[in-house]
RNA sequence: GAACCCAUAGCUCAGUUGGUUAGAGCGCUACAUUGACAUUGUAGAGGUCAGAAGUUCGAAUCUUCUUGGGUUCACCA
């Protein structure tokens, strides 16, 4: 006999409970084994938390992710597995840097923060922001109740991950998969950086299509929405078999395009991609400012026809000198007007057309990207390499494969399951269209590309790595270095150099005559560390070559997060001279927990992250990163819109937790949702589930008041009454379903089923009966323990709070075993369950409304109830078994005690009770019989016809085998169904 | 242009390989209320499962088409 407070107030319990979990150490599987709550030889379950970006705070999408993953984790832990859910955050390179830039402009009055602050000071701001953001995120994750093993927390940009990144980069470079290529890339003028194809968001906008000729004599009209780029045209592409084919191969000199003296050599080339039905049927080729045109340029080059490439737009978004003196320095818009003006004045413009165009926009910087030719780092996804060791189905160790093939094999051959299945199609169609991955970014925040350029190599291509940890400097190198007065450290023998703005640093290295990777690492962090490129800037007077220094490129953030499943499991620090393989081999966590079992994330990052993890992991390890991918939907507001600040429709998880508790917030993100389907969330839903949490609390409160002596480990007790049997049997069959739903990740179904059991069956029915029947201590104890365990993965706080209230502060529901289903425990005789159980409720309802009606009548007419009433109903057979009804009547009796009924009202109640009897299954049984008989009558003639059909030799011999088999299958199915129906009839 | 998803009660959504009388939550209506819980209880109303055709003994479920909404990718001469 214990008593809980009257209402559950989440705010009073949640922080305390989370703290107790953390202090217990049970989020850490090692502690669980050490403390004996998990068997040392138990199976392991591991999952990484998709690391949130350190760009701010968590939103509802993160909350959904945390809720689902925590539920998965807690379930696995309660199954007794060694369970690891590994936390971390993502530095989110571009996103974070541009966010900080924006904040500095907005809040601190900078206009160009990076320039104004300089590298060190700016990076300090970024790091401070990232730290703060990280702390917020961790705090929020804890508020949600996430059972993450914080002792293993990682960051995509910390030292261990950086070393892993450098190793994998080098491996890929050595395999020839990473290369430096000059090609057209997406350039954000605003962000002064490249963007990968996937980072573009296409935005529809109105545009004008201009039809024109380069000059009066030019035979072919072309069309474009970007006239200013036409100053850099080097070819016109026509269909090889089309109307202009006679021109193919000609080079037409076109003078004075756009301005006097701007002459172009236009090669007429044939290309299959040209569609004569579109535009003018010919295509002006601007290799420098269009990806498609660049490909044509490359194709021509491969055929030995160098059509040339003219870059007319610079990285600053302004026209270059190559566009002509009148255009140089103009913005693209100004250049466009000027060029159109020119075309008009020369009467070259044939037509203008209003069209809608979708423009590639940088997701991070929000400006329309400019395709520009640049030298960048790429990962070649088509090049074959030797995969030394492979555990992937269909790929032998030592096989020659490309990254694309690896990514395909991992999913196609069943090593990775993707749920819901339809995303498999999305995945493959993405891979089919995958181009080489541009991995370099011209920003400061991120993993610096671990490659250095030899400035004395004119080609700018001398990329070599630090092969050894420690490099001893020769006298020659030291002399060489001293020649440069701007702080170069020349590493001649390995063709590397380090430049530091801090001369003292360089001098220190020169003094000690050797340098280590750590020194360079340190330089990364604390001093300016530049790669440098030689540019064509000459000062003719002094005849001195000048060098322009450029900050080193950093890696696309997905390069490091692509390694997340294994980089997080690496042991502390990499030892000197150790290879990645050796490092992994001695990392216990990697041995224990990789591949992970589950990856749970939003479908919006299937390409960015999921695909890249598959790429990086299959390449590096020859294994898959995870066995199953589960995609949840995106959280939208109640009108189905994306949550965004500008719409002001953001529901903040912390607000929800504060108002309704973490359990309600979590459940609202799981109940009524299905995998991969977007979910609409409203505050009302959270509120409703807060009510449920309170209900659970009060159910427990009531049950405890009726339990004599609590027992944590109580076995299933004996059922004494029909009601006992019913409620226990419902529980046992729900346990069976529970596991089957949990194993197929049907969390919505599970929670609805549990809610139905807890609220509708247990609270509304069984507990009412228990009040009357009494003496149910053991059954109540057993049921209470069981539902708390079943609910725990979903509602960890309220269940753990109740558990501790009952069994004491030192007990942890967190590591209890979830009840398993056992066939032998099934108590109920099948038909009696169906016959009686559902009707308890309906009878109660009828009686209840009778009470109401009688009461109203009494009020109206002043009529008293009969004292015979109770006895009358007690004689009724249906009611004999149903003590609840008896009780209800007893209530009526006592309620009406002082007055009396007349005949009329007794018959009125009789009619009502007859109605109740209708509900009680007696009549239902007949109806059910009738229904089944009807269905049998429906199937039987079909069966006979089908059998006749199949015994007909003419049909069997002449029809195709597949058809005959299909007919046989249908017959079998129908027979099976008939058997089931007849079985049901038998029971009735 | 292509692929995918969605259309089921007033709203938000479930509905597992086709098979009972299509379900839940919220909302609504009526009633109850000293009780573990008003963050409550009981009951009720409300659905030609978007439309059409087909396959089938049987279709919300499978096929095709149509309509409306959405997402993603691509193209944009």
């Amino acid at each position: 006999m214990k008593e809980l407070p009257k209402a559950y107030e989440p705010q009073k319990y949640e922080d305390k409970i989370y703290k107790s979990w953390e202090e217990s150490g049970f989020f850490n599987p090692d502690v669980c084994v050490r403390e004996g709550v998990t068997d040392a030889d138990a199976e392991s379950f591991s999952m990484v938390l998709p690391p949130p970006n350190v760009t701010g705070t968590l939103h509802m999408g993160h909350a959904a992710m945390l809720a689902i993953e925590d539920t998965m984790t807690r379930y696995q832990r309660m199954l007794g597995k060694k369970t690891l859910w590994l936390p971390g955050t993502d530095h989110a390179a571009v996103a974070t840097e541009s966010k900080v830039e924006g904040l500095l402009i907005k809040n601190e009055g900078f206009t160009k923060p990076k320039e104004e602050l300089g590298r060190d000071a700016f990076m300090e701001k970024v790091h401070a922001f990232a730290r703060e953001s990280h702390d917020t995120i961790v705090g929020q994750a804890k508020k949600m109740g996430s059972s993450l093993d914080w002792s293993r927390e990682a960051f995509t940009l910390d030292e261990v991950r950086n070393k892993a990144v450098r190793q994998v980069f080098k491996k890929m470079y050595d395999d020839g998969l990473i290369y430096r290529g000059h090609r057209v890339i997406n350039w954000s003028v605003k962000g002064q950086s490249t963007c990968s194809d996937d980072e573009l968001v296409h935005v529809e906008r109105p545009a004008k299509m201009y039809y024109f000729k380069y000059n009066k004599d030019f035979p072919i009209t072309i069309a474009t929405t970007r006239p200013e780029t036409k100053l850099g045209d080097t070819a016109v592409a026509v269909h090889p078999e089309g109307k202009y084919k006679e021109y193919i191969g000609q080079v037409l000199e076109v003078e004075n395009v756009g301005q006097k003296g701007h002459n172009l050599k236009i090669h007429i080339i044939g290309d299959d991609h040209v569609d004569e039905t579109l535009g003018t049927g010919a295509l002006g080729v601007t290799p420098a400012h269009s990806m498609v045109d660049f490909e044509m340029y490359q194709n021509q080059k491969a055929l030995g026809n160098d059509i040339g490439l003219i870059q007319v737009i610079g990285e600053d978004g302004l026209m270059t000198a190559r566009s002509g003196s009148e255009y140089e320095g103009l913005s693209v818009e100004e250049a466009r007007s000027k060029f159109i003006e020119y075309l008009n004045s020369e009467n070259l413009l044939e037509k203008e057309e209003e069209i809608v165009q979708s423009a590639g926009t940088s997701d991070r910087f929000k400006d329309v990207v400019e395709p520009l030719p640049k030298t960048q780092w790429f990962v070649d996804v088509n090049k074959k390499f030797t995969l030394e060791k492979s555990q992937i189905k269909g790929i032998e160790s030592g096989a020659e494969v490309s990254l694309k093939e690896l990514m395909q094999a991992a999913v196609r051959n069943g090593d990775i399951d993707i749920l819901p299945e339809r995303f498999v199609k999305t995945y493959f169609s993405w891979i089919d269209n995958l181009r080489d991955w541009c991995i370099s970014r011209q920003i400061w925040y991120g993993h610096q590309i671990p490659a250095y350029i030899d400035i004395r190599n004119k080609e700018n291509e001398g990329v070599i790595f630090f092969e050894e940890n420690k490099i001893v400097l020769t006298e020659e190198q030291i002399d060489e270095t001293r020649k440069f007065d701007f702080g170069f450290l020349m590493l001649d023998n390995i063709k590397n150099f380090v430049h530091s703005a801090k001369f003292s640093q360089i001098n220190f290295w020169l003094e000690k005559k050797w340098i280590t990777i750590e020194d360079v690492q340190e330089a990364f962090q604390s001093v300016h560390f530049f790669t440098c490129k030689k540019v064509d800037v000459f000062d003719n007077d002094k005849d001195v070559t000048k060098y322009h220094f450029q900050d080193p490129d950093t890696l696309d953030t997905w390069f490091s997060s692509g390694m997340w499943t294994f980089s997080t499991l690496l042991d502390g620090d990499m030892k000197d001279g150790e290879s990645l393989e050796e490092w992994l081999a001695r990392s216990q966590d990697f041995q224990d927990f990789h591949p992970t079992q589950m990856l749970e994330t939003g479908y919006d990052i299937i390409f960015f992250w999921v695909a890249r993890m598959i790429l990086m992991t299959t390449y590096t390890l020859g294994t898959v990163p995870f066995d199953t991918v589960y995609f949840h939907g995106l959280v939208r507001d109640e009108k189905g819109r994306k949550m965004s600040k500008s719409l002001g429709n953001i529901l903040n998880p912390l607000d929800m937790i504060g108002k309704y508790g973490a359990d309600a917030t979590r459940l609202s993100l799981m109940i009524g949702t299905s995998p991969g389907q977007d979910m609409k969330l409203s505050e009302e839903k959270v509120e409703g589930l807060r009510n449920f949490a309170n209900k659970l609390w009060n159910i427990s409160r009531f049950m405890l008041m009726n339990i004599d002596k609590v027992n944590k480990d109580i076995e299933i007790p004996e059922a004494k009454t029909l009601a006992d049997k019913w409620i226990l049997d419902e529980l046992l069959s729900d346990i069976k379903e529970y596991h089957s739903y949990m194993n197929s990740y049907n969390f919505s179904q599970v929670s609805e089923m549990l809610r139905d059991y807890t609220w509708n069956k247990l609270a509304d029915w069984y507990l009412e009966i228990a009040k009357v029947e009494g003496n149910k201590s053991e059954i109540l104890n057993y049921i209470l323990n069981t539902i708390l365990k079943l609910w725990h993965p979903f509602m960890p706080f309220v269940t753990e709070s109740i558990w501790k209230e009952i069994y004491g502060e030192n007990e942890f529901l967190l590591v209890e075993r979830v009840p398993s289903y056992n066939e032998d425990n099934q108590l109920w005789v099948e038909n009696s369950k169906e016959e009686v159980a559902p009707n308890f409720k309906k009878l109660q309802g009828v009686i209840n409304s009778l009470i109401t009606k009688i009461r109203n009548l009494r009020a109206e007419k002043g009529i008293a109830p009969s004292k015979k009433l109770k006895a009358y109903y007690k004689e009724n057979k249906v009611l004999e078994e149903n003590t609840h009804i008896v009780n209800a009547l007893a209530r009526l009796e006592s309620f009406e005690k002082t007055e009396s009924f007349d005949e009329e009202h007794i018959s009125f109640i009789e009619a009502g009770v007859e109605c109740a009897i209708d509900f009680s299954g007696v009549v239902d049984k007949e109806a059910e019989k009738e229904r089944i008989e009807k269905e049998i009558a429906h199937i039987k003639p079909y069966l006979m016809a089908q059998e006749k059909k199949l015994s007909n030799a003419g049909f069997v011999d002449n029809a195709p085998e597949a058809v005959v088999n299909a007919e046989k299958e249908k017959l079998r199915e129908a027979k099976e169904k008939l058997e089931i129906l007849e079985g049901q009839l038998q029971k009735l």
Side-chain angles (χ1 to χ4, degrees):
Chain A
M1 284 283 200
K2 292 209 171 199
E3 199 155 338
L4 302 180
K6 212 168 171 180
Y8 175 61
E9 291 173 60
Q11 301 76 13
K12 273 193 187 167
Y13 292 87
E14 289 181 354
D15 289 345
K16 203 174 78 186
I17 291 286
Y18 196 88
K19 199 163 165 253
S20 81
W21 286 332
E22 273 198 294
E23 283 166 0
S24 76
F26 290 147
F27 293 166
N28 181 342
D30 303 337
V31 174
C32 288
V33 171
R34 202 172 62 220
E35 299 287 321
V37 297
T38 304
D39 296 336
D41 56 356
E43 210 179 312
S44 67
F45 173 87
S46 58
M47 170 166 69
V48 291
L49 172 76
N53 292 348
V54 286
T55 44
T57 57
L58 297 187
H59 50 69
M60 272 296 171
H62 291 114
M65 170 182 86
L66 290 166
I68 295 166
E69 291 177 20
D70 190 51
T71 300
M72 288 176 170
T73 305
R74 285 176 189 269
Y75 175 64
Q76 295 294 337
R77 192 182 291 114
M78 290 179 80
L79 285 175
K81 295 189 189 171
K82 267 188 256 179
T83 305
L84 172 63
W85 183 25
L86 197 147
T89 45
D90 193 321
H91 68 285
V94 182
T96 310
E97 184 166 311
S98 61
K99 173 103 191 194
V100 173
E101 255 186 300
L103 286 175
L104 290 173
I105 291 167
K106 194 177 156 208
N107 301 337
E108 299 188 30
F110 290 94
T111 46
K112 289 188 170 177
K114 284 168 81 172
E115 278 178 28
E116 290 160 50
L117 281 166
R119 190 185 181 87
D120 287 347
F122 179 77
M123 288 312 287
E124 198 37 62
K125 297 268 187 197
V126 176
H127 289 137
F129 176 81
R131 263 196 307 277
E132 199 178 303
S133 180
H134 161 269
D135 295 347
T136 311
I137 288 165
V138 169
Q140 282 176 306
K142 290 182 177 180
K143 282 273 180 196
M144 282 291 292
S146 317
S147 59
L148 287 155
D149 180 4
W150 297 106
S151 73
R152 285 175 162 89
E153 191 188 346
F155 181 49
T156 53
L157 194 59
D158 63 20
E159 207 185 319
V160 177
R161 263 47 67 182
N162 182 256
K163 284 182 177 167
V165 162
R166 294 166 64 87
Q167 291 278 324
V168 172
F169 186 96
K170 181 174 186 305
K171 184 174 155 70
M172 284 184 140
Y173 183 80
D174 291 345
D175 277 335
L177 297 179
I178 286 182
Y179 66 95
R180 216 163 139 74
H182 186 70
R183 60 171 60 184
V184 173
I185 45 82
N186 306 303
W187 180 258
S188 164
V189 173
K190 202 168 151 197
Q192 286 293 299
S193 176
T194 52
C195 296
S196 73
D197 297 343
D198 299 310
E199 280 167 321
L200 295 187
V201 178
H202 292 272
V203 179
E204 302 254 303
R205 60 171 189 185
K208 262 186 191 163
M209 182 73 75
Y210 301 94
Y211 293 76
F212 72 99
K213 286 181 176 175
Y214 298 110
N215 71 14
K216 285 198 179 69
D217 303 326
F218 202 80
I220 303 169
T221 305
I222 56 164
T224 183
T225 54
R226 297 286 312 270
E228 69 282 7
T229 65
K230 298 287 130 184
L231 294 164
D233 275 14
T234 57
V236 166
V238 300
H239 195 273
E241 303 300 327
K243 54 190 173 185
Y244 296 119
K245 69 177 177 186
E246 54 183 300
Y247 297 104
I248 294 173
Q250 294 185 16
V251 181
L252 304 175
E253 304 252 359
V254 193
E255 291 177 354
N256 307 328
V257 177
Q259 70 170 92
K260 264 197 178 144
H262 188 72
N263 304 334
L264 297 174
K265 275 186 187 173
I266 304 292
H267 301 243
I268 310 298
I269 59 172
D271 195 300
D272 286 337
H273 292 99
V274 177
D275 180 347
E276 293 218 314
T277 63
L278 282 173
T280 64
L283 166 63
V285 180
T286 322
H289 298 290
S290 155
M291 300 219 182
V292 177
D293 294 5
F294 184 79
E295 271 171 28
M296 288 187 192
Y297 158 80
Q298 278 186 314
N299 291 340
Q300 288 298 313
K301 211 170 180 181
L303 295 170
N305 180 25
D306 190 348
I307 61 174
L309 175 148
I310 305 169
Q311 183 175 349
V312 294
I313 301 169
E315 288 169 21
D316 50 7
L318 303 178
M319 301 304 283
T320 65
R322 297 290 302 274
S323 63
S325 57
E326 290 181 21
Y327 291 88
E328 185 178 0
L330 296 183
S331 71
V332 289
E333 290 79 13
E334 288 164 349
R336 187 176 306 163
S337 315
K338 192 175 176 67
F339 189 61
I340 295 300
E341 215 170 276
Y342 163 81
L343 291 175
N344 269 324
S345 69
E346 298 290 317
N347 217 4
L348 294 169
L349 191 64
E350 296 182 359
K351 194 164 74 168
E352 282 183 31
E353 212 175 67
E354 300 285 341
I355 60 152
V356 177
Q357 176 193 41
S358 90
T361 310
S362 158
D363 191 25
R364 299 301 185 196
F365 299 112
K366 307 294 176 202
D367 62 338
V368 175
V369 297
E370 196 67 64
L372 290 179
K374 265 186 86 70
T375 302
Q376 293 292 320
W377 293 92
F378 292 90
V379 171
D380 192 330
V381 292
N382 290 307
K383 183 171 177 167
K384 301 253 185 188
F385 65 97
T386 310
L387 187 68
E388 299 290 344
K389 268 193 253 166
S390 168
Q391 292 172 35
I392 298 154
K393 281 191 201 123
I395 307 254
E396 304 276 315
S397 291
E400 293 281 312
V401 287
S402 69
L403 291 172
K404 233 182 203 182
E405 288 163 350
L406 265 182
M407 292 167 84
Q408 286 163 334
V411 175
R412 197 190 312 107
N413 302 335
D415 284 310
I416 297 175
D417 285 329
I418 295 181
L419 297 173
E421 213 170 328
R422 65 188 149 89
F423 287 107
V424 172
K425 242 178 182 173
T426 316
Y427 175 80
F428 280 120
S429 73
W430 180 77
I431 293 180
D432 291 343
N433 299 317
L434 186 60
R435 283 190 277 183
D436 286 0
W437 171 20
C438 175
I439 50 169
S440 44
R441 298 288 180 275
Q442 289 64 49
I443 58 165
W444 289 345
Y445 189 51
H447 292 281
Q448 295 184 343
I449 290 187
Y452 314 98
I453 302 164
D454 178 358
I455 52 158
R456 292 159 305 166
N457 181 336
K458 282 179 190 161
E459 300 297 317
N460 262 1
E461 292 292 345
V463 181
I464 307 255
F465 292 83
F466 280 92
E467 302 272 359
E468 303 148 62
N469 190 33
K470 181 174 166 180
I471 295 141
V472 178
L473 300 174
T474 61
E475 290 302 323
E476 203 184 332
Q477 283 169 338
I478 292 168
D479 288 347
E480 187 82 358
T481 301
R482 292 197 196 282
K483 284 183 196 164
F484 289 88
D485 59 358
F486 38 79
F488 274 119
L489 170 62
M490 298 311 302
L491 304 170
D492 199 4
N493 59 336
I494 56 163
K495 296 186 181 172
N496 279 332
F497 72 94
V498 175
H499 165 257
S500 170
K502 287 189 183 165
F503 284 44
S504 58
Q505 185 76 61
I506 297 285
N507 284 328
F508 173 71
W509 291 337
L510 292 179
E511 292 294 314
K512 70 176 183 179
K513 298 192 177 177
W514 53 266
I515 179 172
T516 65
I517 287 180
E518 278 69 32
D519 289 331
V520 179
Q521 285 285 316
E522 198 185 326
F524 271 36
Q525 307 296 332
S526 62
V527 300
H528 287 222
F529 179 74
F530 291 111
T531 53
C532 129
K533 90 179 173 183
K534 187 179 170 188
V535 290
D536 302 329
V537 179
F538 296 101
D539 188 332
N540 291 326
D541 293 340
K542 292 178 187 166
D543 195 24
V544 170
T545 303
K546 284 183 179 169
Y547 293 92
H548 167 73
F549 296 99
Q550 177 188 290
D551 295 325
D553 285 357
T554 46
L555 278 170
D556 180 11
T557 189
W558 303 107
F559 193 94
S560 52
S561 42
M563 297 161 52
W564 194 241
T565 61
F566 64 90
S567 70
T568 49
L569 296 172
L570 282 164
D571 190 75
D573 205 3
M574 196 176 115
K575 286 179 183 162
D576 285 356
E578 191 174 43
S579 73
L580 182 64
E581 273 188 351
E582 290 163 333
W583 189 10
L584 287 163
R586 70 170 172 80
S587 298
Q588 194 58 43
D589 277 358
F590 177 76
Q591 298 302 324
D592 289 347
F593 295 114
H594 204 273
T596 61
Q597 273 67 50
M598 167 60 67
L599 181 83
E600 199 285 337
T601 189
Y603 65 79
D604 52 332
I605 53 172
I606 176 167
F607 308 135
F608 288 124
W609 194 46
V610 179
R612 257 139 207 173
M613 278 201 283
I614 295 173
L615 184 157
M616 298 297 273
T617 311
T618 52
Y619 167 72
T620 312
L621 307 172
T623 64
V624 292
F626 31 71
D627 301 334
T628 305
V629 183
Y630 173 102
F631 288 112
H632 62 248
L634 309 181
V635 182
R636 297 170 181 277
D637 77 353
E638 49 200 318
K639 289 180 186 142
R641 299 171 304 184
K642 267 193 173 172
M643 292 199 181
S644 77
K645 269 184 197 155
S646 53
L647 285 172
N649 58 352
I650 292 183
L651 285 181
N652 183 334
L654 280 190
D655 291 350
M656 292 297 114
I657 291 170
K659 271 170 103 167
Y660 305 108
D663 294 319
T665 307
R666 290 167 60 116
L667 211 48
S668 74
L669 294 161
M670 299 184 73
I671 209 162
T673 67
S674 60
Q677 213 57 52
D678 290 356
M679 48 189 130
K680 293 175 193 170
L681 184 67
S682 61
E683 193 164 338
E684 288 74 35
K685 189 173 176 187
V686 189
E687 194 182 344
L689 291 162
R690 183 269 319 259
N691 296 354
F692 176 68
N694 184 61
K695 185 74 184 179
L696 182 61
W697 178 267
N698 272 293
I699 287 167
S700 308
R701 178 168 186 252
F702 173 78
M703 289 171 91
L704 278 176
M705 288 164 71
N706 290 280
I707 295 171
D708 305 330
K709 188 168 179 280
V710 290
N711 178 357
K712 186 167 81 78
D713 304 308
I714 190 164
E715 298 285 325
I716 183 163
E718 194 195 338
K720 289 176 188 130
T721 69
L722 202 60
D724 296 347
K725 283 187 192 169
W726 172 70
I727 198 68
L728 285 172
D729 195 68
E730 288 288 316
L731 181 60
L732 294 169
S733 65
D734 279 359
I735 290 173
K736 187 182 178 183
E737 295 236 319
Y738 179 88
H739 290 291
S740 117
Y741 282 141
M742 290 301 268
N743 288 321
S744 54
Y745 317 107
N746 256 317
F747 301 114
S748 180
Q749 247 111 328
V750 168
S751 39
E752 278 189 44
M753 180 194 79
L754 282 181
R755 179 173 59 184
D756 182 53
Y757 181 83
T758 310
W759 205 326
N760 300 340
K761 291 174 184 165
L762 180 63
D764 292 348
W765 267 103
Y766 185 72
L767 295 187
E768 289 301 323
I769 293 165
K771 284 177 190 169
V772 180
E773 292 186 349
N775 192 25
K776 297 203 182 292
S777 176
E778 289 193 336
I779 290 181
L780 292 179
N781 195 169
Y782 173 77
I783 293 176
L784 180 58
N785 286 359
T786 306
I787 61 169
L788 289 176
K789 287 173 188 173
L790 295 177
W791 270 119
H792 182 74
F794 296 87
M795 311 181 79
F797 287 112
V798 66
T799 50
E800 184 79 76
S801 305
I802 297 167
W803 194 260
K804 286 190 189 308
E805 291 280 347
I806 306 173
Y807 299 113
E809 293 298 316
N810 296 326
E811 289 296 333
F812 285 90
L813 182 54
L814 171 74
V815 288
E816 286 291 319
R817 288 286 181 283
V818 64
S820 59
Y821 173 73
N822 183 350
E823 200 82 42
D824 303 339
N825 288 341
Q826 202 74 10
L827 304 171
W828 199 256
V829 190
E830 280 238 4
N831 55 357
S832 58
K833 175 169 81 180
E834 278 158 21
E835 184 186 321
V836 184
N839 300 305
F840 278 109
K841 200 166 171 180
K842 286 185 175 167
L843 278 171
Q844 192 199 28
V846 170
I847 299 294
N848 217 323
S849 56
L850 286 177
I851 291 169
T852 311
K853 282 169 189 161
I854 292 162
R855 193 188 181 189
N856 286 350
L857 280 170
R858 185 194 60 168
E860 268 177 41
K861 299 180 182 176
I863 299 163
S866 161
K867 286 190 178 179
K868 287 182 261 174
L869 203 59
K870 187 175 174 184
Y872 180 86
Y873 290 112
K874 267 195 164 174
E875 277 167 25
N876 189 297
K877 276 187 178 176
V878 178
L879 300 184
E880 258 175 18
E881 286 191 66
N882 190 338
T883 47
H884 182 71
I885 301 304
V886 176
N887 179 55
L889 288 168
R891 281 209 266 163
L892 170 64
E893 180 77 0
S894 69
F895 176 68
E896 305 288 307
K897 224 179 270 173
T898 54
E899 306 184 45
S900 64
F901 270 110
D902 62 15
E903 287 295 316
E904 196 188 335
H905 295 107
I906 291 174
S907 63
F908 174 74
I909 290 171
E910 275 176 309
V913 174
E914 268 168 26
C915 168
I917 293 165
D918 278 353
F919 279 114
S920 74
V922 179
V923 177
D924 262 4
K925 211 171 180 176
E926 289 303 316
E928 178 75 358
K929 237 181 192 169
E930 210 173 289
R931 188 192 59 73
I932 293 176
E933 274 163 2
K934 209 168 138 193
E935 203 176 338
I936 289 174
H938 189 61
I939 294 180
K940 263 192 176 163
Y942 165 69
L943 267 177
M944 279 157 69
Q946 198 71 1
E947 269 168 355
K948 201 173 164 190
K949 196 177 185 181
L950 284 165
S951 61
N952 181 347
F955 169 75
V956 177
D957 296 342
N958 297 325
E961 205 185 320
V963 172
V964 176
N965 285 340
E967 292 296 327
K968 279 183 182 166
E969 177 62 15
K970 278 166 78 174
L971 178 67
R972 198 192 56 76
E973 276 179 14
K975 269 185 178 169
E976 208 172 81
K977 182 67 192 171
L978 190 66
E979 259 175 53
I980 294 170
L981 288 171
E982 278 175 343
Q984 284 175 356
L985 198 63
Q986 204 69 42
K987 276 175 195 161
L988 293 169

